[in-house]
């Protein structure tokens, strides 16, 4: 049993995937890049991009009736691991203890040449 979750308060899918899938006890949110859903613009710099990616995640969580506190696992994709400390500073402003489990990896390239993409798993 799975149900698609979609909101106009986060960027729409740019391919054959869903913003999120509600699988009952868990909600799986696709990787969110820092596109402002109101303008279609991409913020400049890792700090602003991390913030916008998390705001997009929060919008999808809200559509599912959840909050950032329901997140149990995140995966952060960075174009440059040198941006880790700045990303981590913004990340810590949004997530609260007990923090979700997390992986952070550097990748060669991300969609639209952004600096960060974040995906999450939340629980009900």
């Amino acid at each position: 049993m799975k149900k698609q979750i979609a909101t106009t308060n986060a960027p729409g899918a740019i391919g054959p995937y869903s913003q999120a899938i509600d699988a009952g006890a868990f909600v799986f949110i696709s990787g969110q890049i820092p596109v402002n859903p109101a303008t279609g613009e991409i913020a400049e710099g890792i700090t602003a991009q991390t913030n916008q990616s998390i705001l997009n995640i929060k919008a999808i969580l809200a559509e599912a009736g959840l909050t950032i506190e329901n997140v149990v696992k995140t995966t952060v994709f960075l174009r440059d691991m040198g941006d880790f400390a700045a990303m981590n500073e913004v990340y810590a402003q949004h997530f609260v203890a007990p923090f979700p489990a997390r992986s952070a990896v550097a990748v060669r390239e991300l969609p639209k040449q952004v600096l960060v993409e974040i995906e999450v798993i939340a629980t009900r």
Side-chain angles (χ1 to χ4, degrees):
M1 168 177 107
K2 66 181 182 178
K3 175 184 165 196
Q4 181 182 28
I5 297 169
T7 179
T8 57
N9 294 323
I14 55 175
Y17 63 92
S18 300
Q19 282 178 330
I21 291 292
D22 183 334
F26 293 97
V27 172
F28 298 85
I29 297 181
S30 295
Q32 294 300 300
I33 61 173
V35 173
N36 181 318
T39 66
E41 299 295 318
I42 297 172
E44 292 284 331
I46 189 63
T47 298
Q49 287 195 15
T50 301
N51 190 63
Q52 184 63 58
S53 293
I54 295 172
L55 292 176
N56 294 342
I57 289 165
K58 286 180 173 182
I60 297 168
L61 287 166
E63 185 68 22
L66 303 173
T67 71
I68 201 82
E69 292 181 17
N70 293 95
V71 174
V72 294
K73 170 71 169 85
T74 68
T75 305
V76 178
F77 302 94
L78 293 167
R79 199 168 77 187
D80 181 349
M81 197 53 80
D83 288 335
F84 181 85
M87 174 280 299
N88 204 43
E89 186 175 319
V90 176
Y91 182 100
Q93 294 169 8
H94 289 276
F95 290 93
V96 297
F99 297 104
R102 180 178 74 183
S103 301
V105 296
V107 296
R108 182 176 177 173
E109 191 173 1
L110 290 165
K112 297 185 180 264
Q113 305 306 308
V114 300
L115 303 176
V116 64
E117 179 175 355
I118 304 171
E119 66 179 25
V120 307
I121 301 170
T123 188
R124 294 200 177 277

